[in-house]
Amino acid sequence: MYLKTKFVFCVICMVLLLPALCASQDISTYTSRATYYGSRNCNGSPSGACGYGEFGRTVNDGIVTGVSKLYRNGTGCVRCTSSQYCSEDAVHVVVIDYGEGDKTDFILSSRAYTRLARPGNKAAKELLVRGVIDVEYRRVSCHYPGYNLMFKVHEQSKYPNYLALVVLYAEGINDITAVELYLENFKQWRGMRRAFGAVWEMSNQVPSGSTKLRFQVSGNKWVESKNDLPASWNAGAEYDSDIQL
């Protein structure tokens, strides 16, 4: 998402929205309000509603946000407007969580919130004192320079009864709308169910052996990972697809 305060920021969950909030072709500008939450290191939270875990705490240098009505179960992206203390420069933020405030659509990390201020401690402190600011936002494409699309085995996965995957570093303007695994014993692709946010799950028919996987993005386009999910997958492990969307 892209906010400007005139603030401008970009939000993804995904997405999130890993799947990310960065997903539609809509470039309209909207108005809302934003506030912030405090954390000791000013970063995001590893326990957000998108299922990103540690990725959600540090992605985008902690320039992240929780969103309310824009959440869409963890998929989507945004931009921001306010006072003399607000910067004209763009700030890109990543959506990692669901959150509700006092008539606010965005609950930013304090690191993201203070980036909306003009240079200098005075402006940043003034925005923090205000607590809630008017913003203008719109969705924009997501970019993760140097990263391929990654898939992480969620920590709650337990072989051979339950497999959950978290999709990370999904670039561009598209949502991931489906994830499928190729079941060699059935000679067919079998869809995973979206559990929440960026988390996709499969139970009972968890494949054994090295497994192909593919991702469907907005517009019904399928992209197959160049690397398989290994037979010896481990809960918490991340694997590189060697592709981008």
Side-chain angles (χ1 to χ4, degrees):
M1 295 216 166
Y2 169 74
L3 297 126
K4 162 178 180 186
T5 51
K6 294 180 186 156
F7 304 56
V8 194
F9 68 71
C10 158
V11 187
I12 104 169
C13 188
M14 165 130 115
V15 97
L16 92 232
L17 21 254
L18 259 220
L21 283 176
C22 302
S24 97
Q25 302 298 328
D26 183 9
I27 59 173
S28 302
T29 298
Y30 304 93
T31 58
S32 183
R33 303 206 310 163
T35 186
Y36 68 96
Y37 61 90
S39 65
R40 193 161 43 189
N41 57 15
C42 303
N43 283 340
S45 166
S47 58
C50 295
Y52 288 136
E54 187 65 15
F55 173 85
R57 188 181 71 83
T58 59
V59 64
N60 198 38
D61 193 30
I63 312 300
V64 298
T65 188
V67 294
S68 56
K69 68 183 181 183
L70 303 174
Y71 176 60
R72 297 200 300 123
N73 195 31
T75 58
C77 254
V78 246
R79 142 176 152 164
C80 149
T81 64
S82 218
S83 75
Q84 58 180 319
Y85 298 104
C86 295
S87 173
E88 294 289 337
D89 296 331
V91 178
H92 292 81
V93 300
V94 172
V95 172
I96 61 164
D97 202 355
Y98 174 87
E100 295 183 359
D102 180 19
K103 298 179 182 179
T104 62
D105 284 322
F106 304 99
I107 303 179
L108 301 162
S109 69
S110 54
R111 186 184 297 267
Y113 186 85
T114 54
R115 287 286 183 93
L116 295 172
R118 294 184 181 277
N121 290 333
K122 180 180 178 180
K125 288 179 179 178
E126 179 63 26
L127 289 190
L128 289 170
V129 169
R130 291 185 175 216
V132 177
I133 53 176
D134 296 322
V135 298
E136 183 179 85
Y137 67 90
R138 64 181 172 87
R139 295 174 62 176
V140 299
S141 184
C142 302
H143 298 285
Y144 299 102
Y147 288 94
N148 293 321
L149 184 75
M150 305 282 291
F151 50 95
K152 175 186 176 181
V153 179
H154 194 277
E155 287 79 2
Q156 294 183 5
S157 298
K158 293 184 179 180
Y159 184 85
N161 300 314
Y162 179 72
L163 171 66
L165 298 178
V166 187
V167 184
L168 308 176
Y169 300 112
E171 284 199 349
I173 203 72
N174 294 303
D175 284 330
I176 292 178
T177 56
V179 178
E180 292 186 344
L181 302 178
Y182 188 76
L183 303 185
E184 186 64 37
N185 51 334
F186 292 99
K187 303 298 181 185
Q188 65 180 227
W189 291 95
R190 189 67 57 86
M192 303 186 79
R193 186 183 74 88
R194 186 195 289 276
F196 64 96
V199 181
W200 299 82
E201 65 180 4
M202 176 179 285
S203 57
N204 302 322
Q205 295 180 332
V206 175
S208 58
S210 181
T211 305
K212 296 179 182 178
L213 67 163
R214 65 182 183 179
F215 310 92
Q216 185 184 54
V217 295
S218 305
N220 298 321
K221 173 186 175 183
W222 285 97
V223 182
E224 185 173 336
S225 173
K226 292 182 179 179
N227 294 323
D228 295 349
L229 176 69
S232 57
W233 56 261
N234 294 307
E238 296 180 8
Y239 301 100
D240 192 333
S241 70
D242 202 24
I243 61 168
Q244 256 305 347
L245 302 179

